[in-house]
Amino acid sequence: MNNKKETLIINISLILNFIVACIKLLTGLLFNFSSLIADSFQSFADFITDIISKMANLLSKKRATKKYPFGYGMIEYIVNLIIGITLFALALFIFIRSFSVHEVEINYYLYIILLIIIVLKFIVVRMLINNGKKLKSNILLTSAKESNADLISTIIVFIISFILLFQDKLYYLKYIDVVGSMIISLLIFKIAFTIIIENIHSLLGENDNNEEIIENLNKILKKYSDISEFKNKLIKNGNYYILYLSLQLKNDNITVKKLIELERKVKKDIKNHIPKIKFINFDITNF
C-alpha cells in the first residue's frame, strides 16, 4: 500500500511540476522576464528529477538477489546524488545567463499568473513533505526540498516583479532582474550542495540515528537476561535498514547450541517488532 501511495505522489508531483514549468517559461518569454525564465529552468529540472525519482523508486523496491544480498535500496542515494549534481550544473548555467539585461514588461496579468504558480507549488511541497514523513520516503523528502526551493525562487520572482514597477523612475532598478536570476542560482547551489553531501554520507554507510528504531531496539535487547551489554550500528539502505549488532554475554562459557538459539531468537524478535530492519549482522564480542 505504501509503495503504491509513494508512486501516486510522485506521479502527481510530476504532472504539476511540468505544468508549472511550462507556465513559467511561456510567461517569462512573453514578458521578457529573465528571473522567471531562470525559475522555469529550475522547474523543468524538478520535473526531470521527478522522472528519475520514479524510476529509482521502482528499482529500489526490487527484492534482494544472490548478487545483491542487501537489495537495491542504495539506488535511491545514487539517484539523489545525480539529482544534486544536475541541480548544481543548472545553477551554474542560470548564474552565467543572468548577466544578460532586458527591459521587463510588467502588467497585472503577470501577477495573476505568478500567484497561481505559487499556490500550485505550495500544494506540491506540502503534499511531498507530509507524505514523505508519513511513508518515511527519502525520495519524496528529497523531491520536497527541490520543490520548496522552486517555491521560494518563485516568491523571489514575485517580489522582483513589484520592484520593477519603479524601473522607469529609478534607472538602476532595471538591474534587479539580473540580481534576481543570481539569487535563484545561488539558492539552487545551496540545495544542490545539501543533497550531494547528504547522499554521499549515505553511500559511505554512515550511521543513521533513527531515535525511534534505536529506542525499540534497546527495549528488545534488554529483555534478554544473557546479554550484559550491546552496541549497534544502524545504516539506512533505501526504505530499509541494515543492523550491525555486537553483544557481550554475562556467561562466557555459554555453549554453541545456546549461542545459536540466542542469535535466532534475537534476530526473529527484532524483525517482528521493527519491520524496517531487514538485514542483521550478528557478532558476539568483548567490548
Side-chain angles (χ1 to χ4, degrees):
M1 182 62 74
N2 283 356
N3 292 349
K4 288 182 179 179
K5 189 170 182 180
E6 189 177 49
T7 302
L8 176 63
I9 297 300
I10 291 173
N11 287 338
I12 294 171
S13 175
L14 198 73
I15 294 168
L16 290 177
N17 280 330
F18 182 71
I19 292 170
V20 166
C22 289
I23 294 172
K24 284 183 179 181
L25 181 60
L26 292 174
T27 305
L29 292 171
L30 180 64
F31 292 97
N32 202 26
F33 198 175
S34 293
S35 294
L36 188 55
I37 293 171
D39 197 23
S40 75
F41 291 156
Q42 180 180 341
S43 293
F44 274 115
D46 208 4
F47 168 70
I48 292 168
T49 53
D50 274 344
I51 294 177
I52 296 172
S53 294
K54 183 179 178 181
M55 292 173 13
N57 181 50
L58 294 173
L59 288 171
S60 65
K61 302 298 188 300
K62 289 178 67 178
R63 291 187 177 184
T65 61
K66 289 183 179 179
K67 190 175 181 181
Y68 299 102
F70 292 129
Y72 295 79
M74 286 297 177
I75 288 176
E76 272 195 35
Y77 303 128
I78 295 170
V79 168
N80 287 335
L81 187 59
I82 293 170
I83 289 172
I85 294 170
T86 302
L87 288 175
F88 190 89
L90 175 68
L92 184 61
F93 173 76
I94 292 172
F95 185 81
I96 294 171
R97 190 186 181 282
S98 66
F99 289 96
S100 174
V101 181
H102 304 284
E103 186 175 347
V104 184
E105 301 172 17
I106 302 292
N107 64 49
Y108 70 91
Y109 288 112
L110 175 62
Y111 298 113
I112 293 172
I113 294 169
L114 287 174
L115 283 172
I116 291 171
I117 292 170
I118 289 171
V119 170
L120 284 174
K121 287 305 298 186
F122 181 79
I123 291 170
V124 172
V125 170
R126 293 318 309 169
M127 176 184 68
L128 289 170
I129 290 175
N130 292 339
N131 286 281
K133 289 180 178 178
K134 185 177 180 181
L135 301 175
K136 296 182 180 178
S137 168
N138 191 51
I139 283 181
L140 291 183
L141 291 174
T142 299
S143 293
K145 288 180 182 179
E146 298 164 42
S147 291
N148 192 53
D150 197 15
L151 172 62
I152 293 170
S153 65
T154 305
I155 292 172
I156 292 171
V157 171
F158 189 76
I159 293 169
I160 290 169
S161 66
F162 268 108
I163 296 173
L164 285 170
L165 287 171
F166 305 97
Q167 62 183 328
D168 293 335
K169 296 179 180 180
L170 296 171
Y171 175 76
Y172 61 84
L173 284 181
K174 73 175 185 177
Y175 294 104
I176 196 68
D177 191 21
V178 173
V179 174
S181 295
M182 289 182 176
I183 291 172
I184 290 169
S185 69
L186 292 175
L187 180 65
I188 301 171
F189 269 128
K190 183 178 181 297
I191 296 297
F193 183 75
T194 302
I195 291 172
I196 290 169
I197 294 301
E198 285 181 355
N199 286 281
I200 285 176
H201 286 174
S202 296
L203 285 169
L204 291 175
E206 294 193 359
N207 285 24
D208 186 299
N209 296 317
N210 187 311
E211 292 181 3
E212 183 183 351
I213 290 180
I214 291 173
E215 185 180 347
N216 289 335
L217 186 61
N218 290 340
K219 287 179 181 178
I220 291 170
L221 295 173
K222 285 178 180 178
K223 293 190 304 182
Y224 291 89
S225 57
D226 290 327
I227 300 173
S228 61
E229 292 184 60
F230 52 86
K231 290 182 180 179
N232 61 72
K233 180 180 180 182
L234 199 62
I235 296 176
K236 198 169 190 301
N237 186 49
N239 289 328
Y240 303 109
Y241 288 87
I242 300 172
L243 173 65
Y244 293 89
L245 186 61
S246 296
L247 304 179
Q248 185 178 46
L249 304 181
K250 290 180 179 178
N251 182 8
D252 292 334
N253 299 319
I254 189 171
T255 64
V256 174
K257 184 178 179 181
K258 286 185 177 181
L259 188 61
I260 294 172
E261 182 65 18
L262 176 65
E263 180 180 345
R264 186 189 65 79
K265 285 181 178 179
V266 171
K267 285 185 176 181
K268 184 178 179 181
D269 208 0
I270 291 171
K271 288 186 177 182
N272 285 342
H273 290 88
I274 313 175
K276 280 286 183 180
I277 295 179
K278 291 292 185 183
F279 312 104
I280 301 173
N281 286 308
F282 203 95
D283 180 41
I284 305 295
T285 184
N286 291 319
F287 299 144

